Amino acid sequence: MSMTVGDFFWQRLWDWGVRRVFGYPGDGINGLLGALRRRGGDIDFVQVRHEEMAAFMAVAHAKFTGEIGVCLATSGPGAAHLLTGLYDARADHMPVLAIVGQQARTALGSHYQQEIDLVSMFKDVAGDHVHTVTVPAQVRHLTDRAMRAAIGQRRVSALIFPNDLQELDYADPPRAHGSVFSGVGYAPPVVVPQEADLRRAAEILNAGEKVAMLVGAGALAAQTEVQAVAERLGAGVAKALLGKAVLPDDLPYVTGSIGLLGTSASWEMMQHCDTLLMVGSGFPYSEFLPEEGKARGVQIDIDPTMLSLRYPMEASLTGDSAATLRALLPMLDQKPEGRWQDRIRRSIQASWETLEQRAHAPANPVNPQLPFWTLSKRLPDHAILTSDSGSCANWFARDVRIRRGMMCSLSGGLASMGAAVPYAIAAKMAHSARPVVAMVGDGAMQMNNMAELITVAKYWRDWDSPTWICLVLNNGDLNQVTWEQRVMEGDPKFEATQNIPDVPYHQFSKMIGLHGILVDDPAQVAEAWDQAFAADRPTVIEIKADPEVPPIPPHLTFKQIRNFAMATIRDPEGAGILRNAARQIFGSGPDQ
């Protein structure tokens, strides 16, 4: 039997190391699916409930394995559904290949059913690396270039296969003018700045008396080096959300998350430091960094376009985080213990005490911070955590303590709703023996994550361990936007846009064969976690959470305070807001 275009394509991906693809079928990719079936399962196909979820899973696969993520969709609407997940990959610099079908070449340009100009549609998210295969001899070089571009540049590539091409006989390009002969493989370079630039950076860091570090996702592979440099410099270390797993939170100089979702310790450190070292972070909110001119700056990033972008750096080093820090370390002076280190430790201790007090403040019925705070002490070693966007990300960022060996992520640059459950599924597919916990709001569950619980129900028996938990904050409110309306705009809650239906998520979980737990009393929270980690199947924990517990930022501006006051006066939940705000800020009310 001759090899078809589809057969060759999957073999080429196999040669590139691809072993898993996330997708959904359709007649626009029948030729590709037939060829995948003929391989007998050596490339695992994960069937999702919606193509957007396939793209999110491909992103998460890249984040949790370091490999390229691959997603597959049919032509027309299937291809269009991938876009949000692909933009998530682009925003977080993840290598993802999107494979989509297209109508027959003879029909293109005829306003045919499901005909979309896919090259134009993917152009923004994939840039130059979106191509339509028009003849069999193109498959080889287009596949190789798409893979090399995605992996080497940490970006999205897209390949479009017309349906009439997929089952044609494959033939290598002829040895003739106009043909190209590509090959498989990519070896990433180790990029290190020049010695003169390293010495300039070391001079700045050695001169500083109060050094602060900010680390992001680009430092995840440099944990040992970050710790060594921090201890040499006597620095405190704040973590951007995508860099939450760079250093464990039990180190005495780790101030936790930074920004609106950050800690007071990170805020205070950035306001009083005289030197800033950023490593592998594109953290966007410059107002949480030192005021311009108040601190000298050094930044390390593999992408030169991200250098000196958030803060004017005196030394901008293009390089691999681990290799650059290793080269920099011998040039750094050991700073003695002093008032700066004492100040950071005291600030961290006070920050954790405040978070604990806030998590245990009374609420109606359950304080949404309490499940996150309680989780930290129960997390097994090597757990993998995912969070959705929304108010749950506040509590994940602040209250969950990461230990060494854990992994965690969320939709960072795009901050899309609906990523936590597909992220958690992809994490479990890649590391099926490790416990996985997804943290989601009820808005994201209703948007698209409930359907993907069906995907969990389909596959969980194949996993080495059944421990997969989805925490759902059920507060009947699109809570993050509600608080943004109040604090950023000074508007009361707009109930027409913010109130959402009450859904029994734990019952839905049971209905599809998973375990479900309802928590409507704070006294039940700890036991719910214990049950879920001991369960013989994946579990949904539904928390009846109070929507009026404010996600207080680490620093309140006068404008935010004014807007909050104006909104509260007119808000339908004004009394509850004021009561909970007092408990969160002043600690009034009995502990739970």
Side-chain angles (χ1 to χ4, degrees):
M1 181 178 177
S2 61
M3 176 180 285
T4 68
V5 164
D7 293 324
F8 176 84
F9 173 68
W10 291 118
Q11 181 58 46
R12 203 66 168 182
L13 289 191
W14 169 270
D15 294 341
W16 273 95
V18 172
R19 299 295 183 268
R20 178 167 292 121
V21 58
F22 304 92
Y24 200 79
D27 63 1
I29 50 172
N30 276 344
L32 292 176
L33 295 176
L36 186 59
R37 177 191 60 80
R38 289 192 290 272
R39 296 192 63 85
D42 64 346
I43 296 178
D44 182 30
F45 179 79
V46 178
Q47 182 203 70
V48 301
R49 314 274 67 78
H50 190 284
E51 293 91 350
E52 180 182 342
M53 302 293 100
F56 275 134
M57 290 182 199
V59 180
H61 181 86
K63 287 184 174 183
F64 292 125
T65 67
E67 303 168 353
I68 188 171
V70 181
C71 53
L72 174 67
T74 190
S75 54
H81 285 159
L82 293 175
L83 280 175
T84 300
L86 296 181
Y87 274 105
D88 184 45
R90 172 181 160 175
D92 287 351
H93 309 284
M94 287 294 109
V96 169
L97 172 65
I99 309 158
V100 297
Q102 177 60 289
Q103 293 306 308
R105 292 168 295 171
T106 53
L108 294 179
S110 70
H111 190 61
Y112 206 75
Q113 184 183 39
Q114 292 193 341
E115 181 191 356
I116 293 176
D117 182 354
L118 294 176
V119 172
S120 296
M121 187 181 77
F122 285 120
K123 190 67 174 176
D124 183 57
V125 74
D128 292 336
H129 301 288
V130 50
H131 293 283
T132 301
V133 184
T134 58
V135 295
Q138 282 182 291
V139 179
R140 176 174 160 183
H141 75 259
L142 288 180
T143 302
D144 291 343
R145 189 161 185 252
M147 291 293 289
R148 192 169 286 109
I151 297 169
Q153 298 177 0
R154 302 187 64 80
R155 59 174 303 149
V156 175
S157 291
L159 289 176
I160 303 163
F161 286 83
N163 59 32
D164 62 330
L165 177 97
Q166 298 167 28
E167 296 189 66
L168 293 180
D169 289 344
Y170 173 76
D172 278 327
R175 185 166 180 78
H177 182 71
S179 292
V180 295
F181 299 88
S182 59
V184 170
Y186 174 78
V190 176
V191 180
V192 182
Q194 296 187 49
E195 183 175 352
D197 296 318
L198 289 168
R199 292 201 176 281
R200 172 61 178 154
E203 289 173 5
I204 295 167
L205 296 170
N206 287 333
E209 297 181 356
K210 297 181 288 184
V211 181
M213 293 179 66
L214 171 59
V215 296
L220 285 170
Q223 297 176 6
T224 300
E225 292 80 6
V226 168
Q227 183 169 346
V229 167
E231 292 174 356
R232 180 73 58 88
L233 294 173
V237 183
K239 301 184 289 187
L241 202 46
L242 287 175
K244 188 173 172 67
V246 172
L247 289 182
D249 288 305
D250 55 9
L251 292 174
Y253 48 82
V254 173
T255 61
S257 296
I258 190 172
L260 286 168
L261 282 58
T263 66
S264 59
S266 293
W267 166 262
E268 290 174 10
M269 178 179 68
M270 289 297 171
Q271 299 314 301
H272 295 97
C273 70
D274 62 16
T275 309
L276 172 63
L277 172 58
M278 283 181 63
V279 183
S281 176
F283 175 71
Y285 303 118
S286 296
E287 68 269 28
F288 290 93
L289 299 179
E291 184 180 341
E292 183 175 1
K294 295 293 182 64
R296 304 177 73 185
V298 174
Q299 186 177 359
I300 300 168
D301 204 290
I302 195 66
D303 182 355
T305 68
M306 299 303 295
L307 291 170
S308 204
L309 182 63
R310 314 301 189 200
Y311 191 83
M313 300 293 176
E314 287 187 53
S316 296
L317 305 179
T318 301
D320 173 84
S321 293
T324 302
L325 289 173
R326 282 197 300 271
L328 187 62
L329 184 62
M331 303 177 185
L332 300 178
D333 299 333
Q334 178 66 57
K335 295 192 186 296
E337 283 282 326
R339 283 183 287 182
W340 176 242
Q341 290 78 20
D342 289 341
R343 181 174 186 168
I344 289 173
R345 282 193 288 266
R346 289 195 304 270
S347 182
I348 292 170
Q349 180 63 29
S351 180
W352 282 120
E353 290 173 356
T354 297
L355 290 171
E356 182 175 20
Q357 172 265 312
R358 289 178 178 178
H360 289 84
N364 182 28
V366 179
N367 185 327
Q369 296 159 105
L370 184 61
F372 296 80
W373 182 267
T374 306
L375 170 64
S376 289
K377 297 179 181 179
R378 288 168 169 77
L379 276 173
D381 292 338
H382 305 298
I384 302 176
L385 309 176
T386 70
S387 172
D388 220 275
S389 297
S391 61
C392 63
N394 289 279
W395 321 130
F396 162 70
R398 294 175 185 158
D399 291 292
V400 177
R401 297 197 193 204
I402 294 297
R403 301 197 302 275
R404 190 173 301 279
M406 293 181 179
M407 293 193 288
C408 58
S409 196
L410 76 173
S411 175
L414 191 64
S416 174
M417 288 177 64
V421 169
Y423 266 38
I425 292 171
K428 194 67 171 178
M429 291 288 185
H431 306 282
S432 70
R434 297 178 67 161
V436 175
V437 180
M439 291 156 273
V440 192
D442 48 359
M445 286 301 290
Q446 293 183 21
M447 180 178 285
N448 49 30
N449 278 194
M450 279 184 74
E452 291 309 314
L453 292 178
I454 301 171
T455 304
V456 175
K458 176 175 180 176
Y459 289 109
W460 74 267
R461 291 174 181 82
D462 299 330
W463 299 338
D464 293 332
S465 161
T467 307
W468 187 96
I469 304 169
C470 179
L471 173 73
V472 184
L473 293 181
N474 183 357
N475 55 27
D477 180 39
L478 298 175
N479 201 235
Q480 185 77 357
V481 174
T482 295
W483 284 106
E484 287 170 347
Q485 289 172 346
R486 290 165 174 157
V487 177
M488 297 172 67
E489 307 300 331
D491 289 333
K493 177 180 178 179
F494 184 21
E495 293 185 310
T497 67
Q498 301 311 107
N499 289 344
I500 60 175
D502 184 14
V503 175
Y505 305 99
H506 72 292
Q507 293 286 11
F508 177 77
S509 179
K510 292 178 180 178
M511 186 180 72
I512 60 174
L514 308 179
H515 187 38
I517 302 171
L518 175 65
V519 174
D520 57 8
D521 186 313
Q524 301 168 337
V525 171
E527 176 61 22
W529 282 121
D530 292 341
Q531 283 187 34
F533 282 115
D536 64 353
R537 65 195 60 210
T539 302
V540 171
I541 302 176
E542 178 185 347
I543 304 285
K544 288 289 189 179
D546 190 338
E548 307 311 334
V549 174
I552 300 172
H555 173 73
L556 286 167
T557 66
F558 173 77
K559 180 180 178 181
Q560 289 170 329
I561 295 170
R562 182 195 63 193
N563 287 345
F564 177 74
M566 291 173 57
T568 302
I569 293 171
R570 298 174 289 155
D571 202 282
E573 306 296 339
I577 294 170
L578 289 174
R579 181 171 57 251
N580 282 324
R583 290 168 174 165
Q584 293 293 299
I585 296 172
F586 303 112
S588 60
D591 284 349
Q592 293 175 347

